[in-house]
Amino acid sequence: MKNNIIQMLAVVVFMCMALASCTKDDDNIIDNSSTNTGRDPKTEEPKSEYNIFVMSDIHVMAPELLVQKGTAFENYTKVDPKLLEESGEVLETVVDIVLEKKPDLVLIPGDLTKDGELVSHQLVVSILERIRTAGIPTVVIPGNHDIDNPEGVYYQGDQTRPAERTSTQQFAQLYANYGYAWPETVRDTASLSFTCEPLDGLVLICLDSNLYEENRYVDRGDTINQNQTAGRLREATLEWMWQRADVARAAGKQVVAMMHHNAVEHYDGQATLQSPYVVKDYKKVAEGMMQHGIHLVLTGHQHLQDIAQYRKVTEAKTDSLIDISTGATVSYPNVWRTITVNRDFTQWEVSTGYIKSIPSIADVQQECYKRSTSNIAGGLAWHVNDYWPTIKSYSTVLWLLGLSKMVPETPQKATDLLMEYLSTPFTEAYMIHNAGNENENPRSQAVIAEFEDGVKKLCLKQLEGQVAAEKLDEQATLVQGMLMKYIKPSLTSMLTDTNQASDATLSSRTDDLHAVLTIPLPAQ
């Protein structure tokens, strides 16, 4: 029981790392074709290589949602300091890059809108239309922000009012031309998941990993409006995925997955310390993917520029699933990816590009870095409130252990405590982590030491008055050691960019920004 309590405290201290979302053609005829066969237009032969463009978490907010600036919108941006007002402008800029590069395929793994407002989805579709009319197939899936979201609102001064939400049916109709209604598309009946073949020989399994059916709504009788951040794959969807992967592999086609939530941990302990960002039962999902011939998945969600491998050793071989997570366009480090793939889809050369400027902001990365680091308290407060019922449920046991003051009385006091002692190393670790290639940052090791020192000072503060003065340092060191037993391995795994670091036979590091990845042939 005591170990469980200490692990819970580690989660409380560590969770602020989570800071960091109906157009028809004329005459009602929807053009469902992908328009790109992956063949050379001159010879009609398959190309020797293909170019794929990935952008994620574009979080577009329709301008009409901001009716009047005021405290309501200001308070929101303190908690969520993305480029929301400029999000349409950011997407237009990325589309300009796409049209310049002329890739064979564009992929967007979720969080297309700020909070699933119908007007925001309509704006996204209107901007993406520039890519579609250029003959470049584009495939999207929803993120946790996009479907039936109760938090989408109009802002008017110090007031808000609900915006029209987007249902699953509306989403599929809106994005009919972006994978949902292509001739080769096969839909999952249990979710918004589907498969398509955007390039000859490449089957893309697009997975709806969101929990929108568990959202809470005041207008449906709940006490609060709450959008679910966490993700999972329904059992029926898993069975559907295995069947579709087996069919594709039997036909000699390569199979790659795309979903919003991370399919594997991007540092040791992420599924515990930042559980909303990793799909539920990720080991079961990852091992099932490998068993059915899926060895690569593209994700988003955490605004993280990172490539991780989940590795498993069996008697026959060492197998792996590679998760390419792409950061957000509207928050630091403001990225997109290009991936050059060979003819049989076994070699994936990944590169990173950055949104340098938009018409209204000369230095986008600098502005987003400033917004993120200056609003750490607001984001932390949101996460403390989100975890508060779980935190308080341990109060009685903590009292029995003589640690009753380790958990402050209110969410605000908890936020203030974490900000006082850990805001600097947390903020720096978060920004280093999001940027990728953490091991190459000269500050990484120093941040680990500063974090450990901050935990000791926090323990001294919270134990003061609970133990005799002559025992205070000894007890604080003891509690610090128990906390760091759970925190330090995760922090070290994160800031050395090493996955499965606790097992030398499985641990690996991948260049997050520029990597050449190899996955098995379809027939294997």
Side-chain angles (χ1 to χ4, degrees), residues 414-484:
T415 300
D416 292 343
L417 184 69
L418 292 170
M419 284 297 298
E420 182 177 358
Y421 293 103
L422 292 168
S423 63
T424 299
F426 264 140
T427 301
E428 195 165 0
Y430 170 70
M431 302 307 286
I432 292 172
H433 183 45
N434 277 18
N437 284 355
E438 300 93 322
N439 60 300
E440 297 179 6
N441 192 300
R443 283 285 300 154
S444 289
Q445 291 299 321
V447 168
I448 296 173
E450 290 166 13
F451 185 93
E452 195 161 10
D453 182 60
V455 170
K456 173 66 178 292
K457 292 176 180 176
L458 184 153
C459 292
L460 285 168
K461 170 71 173 179
Q462 291 306 97
L463 290 173
E464 189 175 4
Q466 292 194 81
V467 298
E470 63 272 17
K471 294 285 188 179
L472 180 59
D473 188 76
E474 178 185 340
Q475 288 295 311
T477 300
L478 178 63
V479 176
Q480 176 207 32
M482 290 188 292
L483 285 169
M484 294 307 297

Side-chain angles (χ1 to χ4, degrees), residues 24-46:
K24 295 184 179 181
D25 293 333
D26 293 341
D27 301 321
N28 296 322
I29 298 174
I30 299 177
D31 176 6
N32 294 327
S33 65
S34 64
T35 73
N36 194 334
T37 64
R39 293 179 178 271
D40 188 311
K42 295 180 180 179
T43 65
E44 287 301 315
E45 293 296 318

Side-chain angles (χ1 to χ4, degrees), residues 236-286:
T237 299
L238 287 173
E239 292 301 320
W240 169 87
M241 171 168 53
W242 309 148
Q243 190 269 338
R244 297 314 308 170
D246 290 347
V247 168
R249 298 285 287 190
K253 300 178 186 297
Q254 186 64 276
V255 184
V256 168
M258 179 171 73
M259 67 180 181
H260 188 57
H261 295 79
N262 292 156
V264 307
E265 288 187 323
H266 283 258
Y267 64 87
D268 292 8
Q270 183 191 13
T272 299
L273 298 170
Q274 288 185 288
S275 58
Y277 296 97
V278 185
V279 70
K280 184 180 179 181
D281 296 329
Y282 81 91
K283 289 185 179 179
K284 171 185 173 181
V285 172

Side-chain angles (χ1 to χ4, degrees), residues 143-145 208-215 226-234 260-262 271 274-280 301 382 386-387:
N144 60 287
H145 280 256
D208 173 10
S209 56
N210 305 292
L211 277 168
Y212 39 79
E213 66 271 20
E214 295 184 14
N215 288 346
Q226 185 179 57
N227 181 59
Q228 289 291 334
T229 303
R232 61 89 182 85
L233 293 171
R234 302 161 180 82
H260 188 57
H261 295 79
N262 292 156
Q274 288 185 288
S275 58
Y277 296 97
V278 185
V279 70
K280 184 180 179 181
H301 191 32
W382 184 89
D386 199 40
Y387 279 86

Side-chain angles (χ1 to χ4, degrees), residues 112-353:
L112 309 174
T113 57
K114 173 185 170 290
D115 282 310
E117 311 89 356
L118 183 60
V119 291
S120 294
H121 278 299
Q122 290 168 338
L123 177 57
V124 171
V125 171
S126 70
I127 296 174
L128 293 182
E129 185 72 4
R130 294 174 55 203
I131 301 177
R132 190 178 74 88
T133 56
I136 303 170
T138 300
V139 181
V140 308
I141 54 168
N144 60 287
H145 280 256
D146 291 325
I147 303 294
D148 210 13
N149 189 339
E151 297 177 6
V153 297
Y154 287 90
Y155 296 91
Q156 188 160 9
D158 60 354
Q159 303 293 321
T160 63
R161 58 182 173 86
E164 185 176 355
R165 303 166 191 149
T166 305
S167 68
T168 55
Q169 295 83 2
Q170 288 172 312
F171 186 91
Q173 182 181 19
L174 280 160
Y175 296 99
N177 292 329
Y178 300 90
Y180 276 91
W182 288 353
E184 72 275 17
T185 292
V186 179
R187 291 281 304 275
D188 170 34
T189 59
S191 71
L192 280 170
S193 303
F194 66 96
T195 65
C196 60
E197 189 175 344
L199 300 171
D200 281 353
L202 176 66
V203 170
L204 188 64
I205 299 185
C206 304
L207 296 166
D208 173 10
S209 56
N210 305 292
L211 277 168
Y212 39 79
E213 66 271 20
E214 295 184 14
N215 288 346
R216 300 170 68 185
Y217 311 88
V218 170
D219 60 13
R220 299 179 190 175
D222 294 319
T223 56
I224 58 171
N225 285 322
Q226 185 179 57
N227 181 59
Q228 289 291 334
T229 303
R232 61 89 182 85
L233 293 171
R234 302 161 180 82
E235 286 298 322
T237 299
L238 287 173
E239 292 301 320
W240 169 87
M241 171 168 53
W242 309 148
Q243 190 269 338
R244 297 314 308 170
D246 290 347
V247 168
R249 298 285 287 190
K253 300 178 186 297
Q254 186 64 276
V255 184
V256 168
M258 179 171 73
M259 67 180 181
H260 188 57
H261 295 79
N262 292 156
V264 307
E265 288 187 323
H266 283 258
Y267 64 87
D268 292 8
Q270 183 191 13
T272 299
L273 298 170
Q274 288 185 288
S275 58
Y277 296 97
V278 185
V279 70
K280 184 180 179 181
D281 296 329
Y282 81 91
K283 289 185 179 179
K284 171 185 173 181
V285 172
E287 290 171 16
M289 284 183 171
M290 292 186 290
Q291 181 181 348
H292 292 273
I294 303 171
H295 297 276
L296 182 68
V297 57
L298 298 118
T299 67
H301 191 32
Q302 197 171 332
H303 301 187
L304 176 67
Q305 193 72 355
D306 195 83
I307 301 176
Q309 291 192 51
Y310 175 75
R311 304 175 73 195
K312 184 176 176 64
V313 177
T314 66
E315 292 183 1
K317 61 180 178 179
T318 298
D319 211 348
S320 68
L321 175 67
I322 301 170
D323 183 325
I324 303 175
S325 183
T326 299
T329 60
V330 291
S331 63
Y332 183 83
N334 309 97
V335 292
W336 44 268
R337 292 190 188 271
T338 54
I339 306 176
T340 300
V341 190
N342 65 349
R343 182 169 174 168
D344 60 8
F345 303 102
T346 57
Q347 183 168 290
W348 297 61
E349 184 173 349
V350 184
S351 297
T352 296

